[in-house]
Amino acid sequence: MAISSPGIGSNLNVTSIVSQLMAVEQQPITLLATQTTADQTILSGYGTLTSALEQFQTSVGALSNISTFQAMSANVANTSVASVTATAAAATGTYALAVTKLAQGEKLVAAGQASESAAISDGVISFSFGTSTTAPAAFTPNGSGIKTITINSTNDSLTGICGAINAANIGVSATLVNDGSNTPYRLSLTVNATGASNSLKISVADAAPGTSTALSTLLNQDPAGSQALTQTVAAQNAEFTLDGIAISKPSNTVSDAIAGVTLNLASISASPTNVSIAPNTAAVVSAVNSFVTAYNTINSTLTDAAAYNKTTGAAASLNGESTVRGITKQIRSVLTNPVAGGASALSVLSQVGVSLQSDGSLVVDSTQLQAALSSNFNGFAGLFAAAGSASDSLVAYSGATNNTQPGAYSVNVTQLATQGKTLATAAAGLNIDSTNDTLQVQLDGVTSTITLNHSSSYTPATLAAEVQSQINGAAGFVTAGSSATVSASAGGVLTITSNSYGSGSSAGISGGDGQANLNFISGAGVGIDTAGTINGMAATGSGQTLTGTTGTPAEGLSLQINGGSIGDRGTVNYSQGYAYQFNTIVTAMVGTNGTITARTNGISASMATIAKNSATMTARLAGIQASYMAQYTALDVTVSSMTATSTFLTQQLAAIAANHP
């Protein structure tokens, strides 16, 4: 008879024996689980450290911007007259500002209509912007191009015309005004751009001949001729003086009167008020303190992550991690080396009152910092950010890449960039009509056909302005971001010049019935790129930009050559400040191929292997346990059988002994 419960037949505790044996078998899996827990703790620690490094990178990334350390403060004594802002390009100074006129946009009002919804008539409305004079009466386009709006049965009411003008976004805002008269509805037009050169000329081409001319009667507005609208506000330039110098500008926002300074004129001044431009030392002090705070935070985080308490024996999550030791060493080593390149006279933090403490943290001496700002404000940018400076005023540092090495680079220009242009062969015909009003223009690789306005009273200057206006208003060129300048010589010969530079710059005439009248031959003049060397190595030219080539120390160094002469053009010094260096190395740490990523990927791969091995062992243990149970059950049966035999023999021997005393 089989034994139903292990151990009953032999009095052996089979279940306990097997359990103890399995506990021994389980030990490798327990060790794997312990390792997994430890790995998870390390991964969590790296997650926290990565977050801290990314926060550090965000902080120093902002501080690696050169403009942060070149901030200028700008103030106006009488803030009701104007406000002012300044960039790093501004120079320290004080100016007396007096405003006599504010710039304003022209406003025109049409004759009143009895209904705002009744149909007027159809046609095409053309809007042109330019300068108008009264003596003599004349209108000169400003070159911004002619904008057109089509009026048909869907929008031929006063309300429809108003909506069509606003929807076209052509630089004119339209509104309807009710003046309370018998014909109360009046169309009011406001030119969005201010300035005397933005007066409005409106030409209406009525629909097919024989139809109503009500649209042209309502809106035709020629500053040099018939005017259907009433001017309520004249286009006007802002007029002001700076230190007694009279200045006229088309806008109340003036950014080209003082280099690097933008004036926002607000009101006419009864007397001059002072405009002051000075280094914004407060912004730089704040930036330096932010840099120190960011560094101290990451330094503390790294220290805590690898800490070990000898008293309690407690270790931080990343204690013993060589990757953390390497990161700590790399970050701290940045501060032990001076900034190379010579873009700034400052090269170490101690020169501006920032010193390294024994615990690896930084501390700021405010007095020394202020003294350094007073004596060398311009040097701070090169100490913290990536900065470049050129000895030639017409050579401008415009950027670099992570591959650019700090250093002093000699510049030699062998070719200056030029603009694409085409010159007519003779003076232009000044009478433009339907037989000679189209030109097929090529500009920067794009071709568009333009149509000139008809006139028999063009001068070479006004015809040049008309051609320029039509080119710069052509949709194809506007979309491509291309524009041109058209000029006339004293003899009336026109020249079309692309406003871009280099081999991508081109300008020319390739057709149109007006080509012969303006005496242009077919073809486009193409510009050339600048060319030269940086530190004796051939550089890449594109437009006016000269860039260091791949594989050289100057790789990625970008310089703007803004004219000057052929030959040696001095030296460009390029340096990578401390904030820039930190930003770069942290990117290498936390990036896709960074040291932390490599370490955490390795840990994750190890954990995956452990999980696989643990699963395999667990499956194997089930078989081992079954085997142990089978063996001990068999032993139980055997012992039970032997016990039964022993009992039987004992009984038989006892019986024999009893029968044979």
Side-chain angles (χ1 to χ4, degrees):
M1 181 177 178
I3 296 174
S4 60
S5 180
I8 290 179
S10 62
N11 290 323
L12 293 173
N13 191 343
V14 173
T15 300
S16 176
I17 293 171
V18 172
S19 177
Q20 293 178 56
L21 289 171
M22 290 308 298
V24 175
E25 296 286 349
Q26 186 77 27
Q27 286 181 0
I29 296 178
T30 301
L31 292 174
L32 292 178
T34 300
Q35 182 61 50
T36 297
T37 300
D39 287 344
Q40 288 173 336
T41 299
I42 294 173
L43 279 180
S44 177
Y46 274 119
T48 301
L49 179 58
T50 298
S51 177
L53 284 168
E54 288 173 343
Q55 291 177 9
F56 176 60
Q57 183 181 30
T58 299
S59 298
V60 297
L63 296 171
S64 65
N65 187 334
I66 189 171
S67 63
T68 302
F69 296 92
Q70 293 179 327
M72 300 292 287
S73 65
N75 297 285
V76 179
N78 187 346
T79 56
S80 66
V81 173
S83 60
V84 61
T85 58
T87 68
T92 300
T94 301
Y95 309 87
L97 169 68
V99 181
T100 53
K101 286 184 180 180
L102 291 177
Q104 57 191 28
E106 184 179 36
K107 292 189 176 184
L108 301 168
V109 178
Q113 302 294 304
S115 171
E116 60 183 326
S117 57
I120 297 176
S121 68
D122 300 347
V124 177
I125 309 173
S126 296
F127 297 84
S128 179
F129 304 91
T131 302
S132 62
T133 58
T134 55
F139 178 82
T140 304
N142 64 12
S144 62
I146 294 176
K147 315 296 190 303
T148 60
I149 297 173
T150 299
I151 302 300
N152 53 38
S153 59
T154 67
N155 58 5
D156 59 0
S157 67
L158 205 60
T159 298
I161 295 170
C162 181
I165 292 172
N166 289 330
N169 193 28
I170 58 173
V172 177
S173 297
T175 57
L176 289 182
V177 178
N178 185 333
D179 65 9
S181 67
N182 291 332
T183 53
Y185 300 107
R186 306 185 68 183
L187 182 66
S188 176
L189 303 178
T190 300
V191 178
N192 298 338
T194 60
S197 66
N198 286 304
S199 291
L200 185 60
K201 177 181 179 180
I202 304 174
S203 304
V204 179
D206 289 309
T211 61
S212 172
T213 61
L215 187 63
S216 60
T217 300
L218 177 69
L219 293 179
N220 265 335
Q221 177 74 9
D222 184 358
S226 175
Q227 300 177 28
L229 289 84
T230 301
Q231 184 186 74
T232 58
V233 176
Q236 177 178 287
N237 278 0
E239 295 183 3
F240 58 99
T241 62
L242 280 172
D243 287 346
I245 301 172
I247 299 173
S248 177
K249 295 293 180 181
S251 171
N252 291 317
T253 299
V254 181
S255 58
D256 57 355
I258 306 172
V261 176
T262 297
L263 295 167
N264 297 291
L265 307 179
S267 67
I268 295 172
S269 56
S271 59
T273 184
N274 281 342
V275 176
S276 302
I277 312 297
N280 190 343
T281 57
V284 176
V285 168
S286 176
V288 172
N289 282 313
S290 295
F291 171 83
V292 169
T293 298
Y295 177 83
N296 286 343
T297 298
I298 195 60
N299 179 66
S300 177
T301 299
L302 288 166
T303 299
D304 293 344
Y308 177 77
N309 190 317
K310 294 181 180 180
T311 303
T312 64
S317 60
L318 299 180
N319 176 260
E321 281 288 301
S322 60
T323 298
V324 176
R325 291 195 300 272
I327 291 173
T328 303
K329 181 179 179 181
Q330 191 174 1
I331 286 180
R332 290 179 177 175
S333 67
V334 170
L335 300 181
T336 62
N337 297 308
V339 173
S344 167
L346 302 175
S347 60
V348 292
L349 290 173
S350 60
Q351 291 174 300
V352 298
V354 179
S355 57
L356 189 64
Q357 306 300 290
S358 59
D359 62 354
S361 65
L362 294 175
V363 66
V364 179
D365 183 325
S366 299
T367 301
Q368 191 175 349
L369 175 59
Q370 287 292 346
L373 283 168
S374 299
S375 62
N376 193 2
F377 176 81
N378 293 330
F380 275 73
L383 186 61
F384 290 93
S389 62
S391 60
D392 188 314
S393 62
L394 293 178
V395 175
Y397 163 79
S398 57
T401 69
N402 289 338
N403 294 326
T404 311
Q405 300 300 310
Y409 296 93
S410 60
V411 179
N412 183 281
V413 176
T414 57
Q415 179 174 277
L416 293 172
T418 62
Q419 298 162 279
K421 66 171 62 178
T422 186
L423 175 68
T425 58
L430 300 178
N431 182 32
I432 305 297
D433 55 32
S434 60
T435 67
N436 61 6
D437 59 354
T438 64
L439 292 171
Q440 191 174 59
V441 181
Q442 294 177 318
L443 184 64
D444 298 347
V446 177
T447 300
S448 288
T449 298
I450 64 171
T451 302
L452 304 179
N453 283 317
H454 299 173
S455 175
S456 60
S457 59
Y458 279 117
T459 66
T462 58
L463 180 57
E466 169 66 12
V467 175
Q468 178 177 313
S469 176
Q470 294 294 344
I471 291 175
N472 293 338
F477 299 142
V478 171
T479 300
S482 297
S483 63
T485 299
V486 182
S487 60
S489 70
V493 178
L494 300 186
T495 300
I496 302 174
T497 304
S498 168
N499 288 335
S500 65
Y501 283 82
S503 56
S505 171
S506 63
I509 303 296
S510 58
D513 57 25
Q515 180 178 7
N517 180 58
L518 299 187
N519 289 302
F520 281 106
I521 62 173
S522 294
V526 180
I528 58 175
D529 297 313
T530 188
T533 62
I534 299 178
N535 249 26
M537 304 294 290
T540 301
S542 177
Q544 292 180 292
T545 302
L546 202 60
T547 305
T549 52
T550 302
T552 69
E555 178 180 346
L557 180 63
S558 180
L559 308 176
Q560 192 82 5
I561 311 300
N562 298 312
S565 60
I566 301 299
D568 291 333
R569 299 294 297 274
T571 302
V572 172
N573 292 87
Y574 172 70
S575 63
Q576 297 172 343
Y578 290 115
Y580 178 88
Q581 291 181 54
F582 281 132
N583 186 43
T584 301
I585 65 172
V586 172
T587 297
M589 292 173 184
V590 301
T592 303
N593 299 315
T595 53
I596 291 180
T597 303
R599 176 59 177 141
T600 55
N601 286 346
I603 294 173
S604 296
S606 176
M607 290 176 65
T609 300
I610 289 174
K612 182 179 179 180
N613 291 342
S614 181
T616 301
M617 289 182 181
T618 299
R620 176 173 162 273
L621 287 181
I624 293 174
Q625 184 174 15
S627 175
Y628 279 147
M629 288 298 295
Q631 292 178 45
Y632 278 94
T633 298
L635 176 62
D636 187 33
V637 171
T638 300
V639 172
S640 177
S641 175
M642 292 176 66
T643 300
T645 301
S646 174
T647 301
F648 173 76
L649 291 175
T650 299
Q651 291 172 349
Q652 292 300 314
L653 290 173
I656 292 172
N659 293 327
H660 299 84

